[in-house]
Amino acid sequence: MTLLLAADVAAIALVTCVMLALPTLGGPTLAFGVQVTADRASDPAVIAERHAYARLTVLAAAPATAISIPVTALITATDRPPAIGVTAAALGLVQLALYHRAHRRIRRAKLAGGWQSERRQGVTVDTTFRTDPVRLPWVWGLPGLAILLVTAALGWSRLGEPPATLPLWRGFGIDPARRVPATPTAVLEPVICQLAIGLVVLATIYVVLRARPDLDAAKPRGSARRYRVHLRGVAVLWLVSAACLGLGLLLSALLLWEIVPFTLFWRVIAYVPLAAPLVPWLIWEVRVGRAGHRLPALPGEEEEESGVVQRDDDRHWFLAGAVYANRADPALFVPARLGSSWTLNIGHPATWLVLATALAVTALALAGVVDLPQKESLF
């Protein structure tokens, strides 16, 4: 029980730290998902909401920590599977509600004070993102490719002399107490997962590199340069993350193929690559930030001033800047208002087609018409 309680409390602390950092990820001109000018970023209303949000977020963690004690005791007493993170997940929902509260209050202050009409608004377009787009940093994909080839070679060699059965493979976890027939699909499942991850990451990078750039109309030249640096760095981080996931799958495949013993050391070491990408992503957000706004200005960029501010489009953003819907915008993929992330324009017809297809497949699967691949757990 002590170990389970410590893990639950650690999850609560992690969620609280992430939520405290959330308002800083959007950049100085995005206050809780509300677009403000640089002059209004330090407005008393914004500062007050930042302080109130931080105070309430910390206060919400106290009862969650107290509740985790009886919850952990109940789980232990009933011999149910450990549910680490249940209390932390509930706390995260409460803190997200506090974030949305701050968003609404700042937006009310913005509308009441007429902040959007204080400066002339505009947009900036840089056609070089089409004529000379940021290229895929393919060199950073070589480690992931090497890991895939090594895993495929080991799997192919194991396929030559497969045992009668294999332990149940759960992605990054192995259940040695349960055995399954050693079919070619079961033997090569880690390779298939690695290949799928690589293809998804490459497709994501391709879409991101060609998405509409996030430029600042007030400083068009400097923001375009920063965004290029930011875009290339995000592509590198995606490739590094894919390599780490592939390495974790390789280590778990060694357990699956019974090349290494099923000991606590090898079970733990298979999960280490999953946490490895968190460090570079955290450093990136701290040093570069959304659209590269934390990068230092080059000579001449500090004095750059176009005379206009970025056009206000808050009416198209919902759920504290998490959802974007604009039927008049031809862009399908747009930079989100939170950190180094992107989101779909749900006002685009293609988005509705994708969502309708996913809902149709889900409905058919629930009705038993379509059999989807089953996987008990990735861990």
Side-chain angles (χ1 to χ4, degrees), residues 136-213:
L136 174 69
W138 60 267
V139 174
W140 289 90
L142 294 179
L145 178 61
I147 292 171
L148 172 63
L149 294 177
V150 170
T151 310
L154 291 174
W156 185 262
S157 65
R158 194 61 174 167
L159 193 61
E161 299 178 358
T165 60
L166 290 172
L168 180 63
W169 189 70
R170 295 184 173 183
F172 293 93
I174 303 293
D175 187 355
R178 300 175 61 183
R179 309 285 296 190
V180 296
T183 62
T185 302
V187 174
L188 297 178
E189 197 170 2
V191 182
I192 297 173
C193 287
Q194 285 180 333
L195 184 60
I197 290 174
L199 292 177
V200 169
V201 167
L202 287 176
T204 302
I205 294 175
Y206 178 83
V207 172
V208 166
L209 292 182
R210 281 153 183 77
R212 186 181 66 201

Side-chain angles (χ1 to χ4, degrees), residues 9-344:
V9 172
I12 291 174
L14 178 61
V15 169
T16 302
C17 290
V18 170
M19 294 305 299
L20 286 173
L22 200 59
T24 66
L25 299 180
T29 58
L30 283 176
F32 293 92
V34 179
Q35 183 175 300
V36 298
T37 63
D39 300 334
R40 287 291 184 177
S42 56
D43 187 88
V46 176
I47 299 300
E49 287 305 319
R50 289 189 184 276
H51 291 166
Y53 170 77
R55 183 171 59 254
L56 293 174
T57 299
V58 173
L59 288 176
T65 304
I67 292 173
S68 67
I69 298 176
V71 170
T72 304
L74 178 63
I75 293 172
T76 305
T78 55
D79 293 328
R80 294 180 179 178
I84 299 174
V86 173
T87 309
L91 173 63
L93 293 177
V94 172
Q95 291 171 338
L96 283 174
L98 294 175
Y99 185 91
H100 192 264
R101 170 184 176 273
H103 167 85
R104 293 198 323 269
R105 292 168 68 92
I106 292 179
R107 189 166 184 179
R108 266 200 308 267
K110 175 182 175 179
L111 294 175
W115 297 358
Q116 68 273 21
S117 60
E118 292 176 341
R119 301 278 299 274
R120 190 162 61 94
Q121 301 178 17
V123 295
T124 182
V125 178
D126 190 340
T127 58
T128 62
F129 282 94
R130 295 298 182 191
T131 59
D132 184 25
V134 177
R135 308 296 178 182
L136 174 69
W138 60 267
V139 174
W140 289 90
L142 294 179
L145 178 61
I147 292 171
L148 172 63
L149 294 177
V150 170
T151 310
L154 291 174
W156 185 262
S157 65
R158 194 61 174 167
L159 193 61
E161 299 178 358
T165 60
L166 290 172
L168 180 63
W169 189 70
R170 295 184 173 183
F172 293 93
I174 303 293
D175 187 355
R178 300 175 61 183
R179 309 285 296 190
V180 296
T183 62
T185 302
V187 174
L188 297 178
E189 197 170 2
V191 182
I192 297 173
C193 287
Q194 285 180 333
L195 184 60
I197 290 174
L199 292 177
V200 169
V201 167
L202 287 176
T204 302
I205 294 175
Y206 178 83
V207 172
V208 166
L209 292 182
R210 281 153 183 77
R212 186 181 66 201
D214 187 12
L215 306 181
D216 185 3
K219 299 180 181 296
R221 186 164 58 90
S223 63
R225 180 192 63 82
R226 291 187 180 95
Y227 189 72
R228 281 185 175 274
V229 176
H230 169 262
L231 209 55
R232 188 180 188 279
V234 168
V236 169
L237 287 173
W238 271 106
L239 292 174
V240 170
S241 300
C244 291
L245 291 176
L247 180 59
L249 290 172
L250 170 58
L251 294 173
S252 67
L254 297 179
L255 292 168
L256 170 68
W257 299 326
E258 298 176 323
I259 297 176
V260 298
F262 189 78
T263 60
L264 180 60
F265 170 79
W266 285 104
R267 290 171 61 187
V268 172
I269 206 71
Y271 289 94
V272 172
L274 299 182
L278 297 178
V279 176
W281 275 106
L282 179 60
I283 295 175
W284 181 260
E285 289 293 343
V286 171
R287 298 189 60 181
V288 179
R290 180 181 184 271
H293 73 272
R294 291 192 175 95
L295 291 172
L298 294 181
E301 291 181 352
E302 294 180 354
E303 297 79 16
E304 182 185 14
E305 183 59 51
S306 65
V308 299
V309 296
Q310 189 66 24
R311 184 177 60 188
D312 178 40
D313 62 348
D314 285 346
R315 65 188 182 280
H316 300 303
W317 289 92
F318 304 90
L319 295 179
V323 177
Y324 179 74
N326 185 359
R327 296 183 62 183
D329 190 347
L332 175 62
F333 218 51
V334 297
R337 290 192 165 186
L338 183 62
S340 302
S341 60
W342 284 257
T343 186
L344 287 170

